[in-house]
């Protein structure tokens, strides 16, 4: 299984991980961190699963499809949470990256 056919999904997962970790850090700089607790937790979960998905696809793992399916679910949950705080630019950008990644990973899960 060649990783070339996964390039757009790998790119979306990489971009999403970066936005998630940035969002988590930016949330920690906000006034009401307690209100953003779930957002920060999901950012970390999402960033981690995105990185795992990249590794799985790049290495041709036999579990890449299952990992991408789970990644899509976590990305969607993270997007929904970040959209609650979309008045903050970092949450808005994170939600957009998560939505794109969820779409790419959903397509992977169907292959």
């Amino acid at each position: 299984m060649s990783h070339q056919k996964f390039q757009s999904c790998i790119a979306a997962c990489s971009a999403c991980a970066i936005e998630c970790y940035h969002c988590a850090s930016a949330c920690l700089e906000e006034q009401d961190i307690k209100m953003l607790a779930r957002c920060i937790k999901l950012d970390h979960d999402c960033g981690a699963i995105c990185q795992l998905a990249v590794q799985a696809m790049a290495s041709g793992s036999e579990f890449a499809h299952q990992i991408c399916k789970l990644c899509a679910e976590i990305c969607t949950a993270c997007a929904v949470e970040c959209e609650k705080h979309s008045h903050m630019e970092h949450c808005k950008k994170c939600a957009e990256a998560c939505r794109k990644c969820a779409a790419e990973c959903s397509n992977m899960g169907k292959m």
Side-chain angles (χ1 to χ4, degrees):
M1 184 163 31
S2 170
H3 75 278
Q4 270 79 19
K5 67 180 181 175
F6 305 136
Q7 278 311 117
S8 64
C9 193
I10 288 171
C13 286
S14 294
C16 188
I18 291 165
E19 287 299 334
C20 284
Y21 290 131
H22 171 73
C23 185
S25 292
C27 283
L28 291 171
E29 302 294 320
E30 295 291 341
Q31 284 295 110
D32 191 0
I33 295 173
K34 203 170 185 81
M35 176 192 75
L36 298 166
R38 185 160 190 263
C39 186
I40 294 165
K41 287 179 181 180
L42 283 170
D43 282 338
H44 283 288
D45 286 348
C46 193
I49 193 73
C50 285
Q51 288 181 314
L52 179 61
V54 167
Q55 290 173 338
M57 288 181 283
S59 66
S61 170
E62 64 184 280
F63 298 102
H65 298 296
Q66 292 97 316
I67 292 168
C68 284
K69 187 172 187 272
L70 180 59
C71 187
E73 289 178 38
I74 295 172
C75 283
T76 299
C78 192
V80 167
E81 186 62 28
C82 279
E83 285 163 355
K84 293 176 184 175
H85 315 287
S86 61
H87 60 283
M88 291 181 265
E89 191 62 23
H90 54 86
C91 282
K92 183 180 176 192
K93 284 184 173 181
C94 187
E96 290 167 1
C98 286
R99 290 284 181 201
K100 183 175 181 184
C101 188
E104 287 284 347
C105 282
S106 289
N107 289 336
M108 272 290 302
K110 294 173 190 167
M111 287 178 129

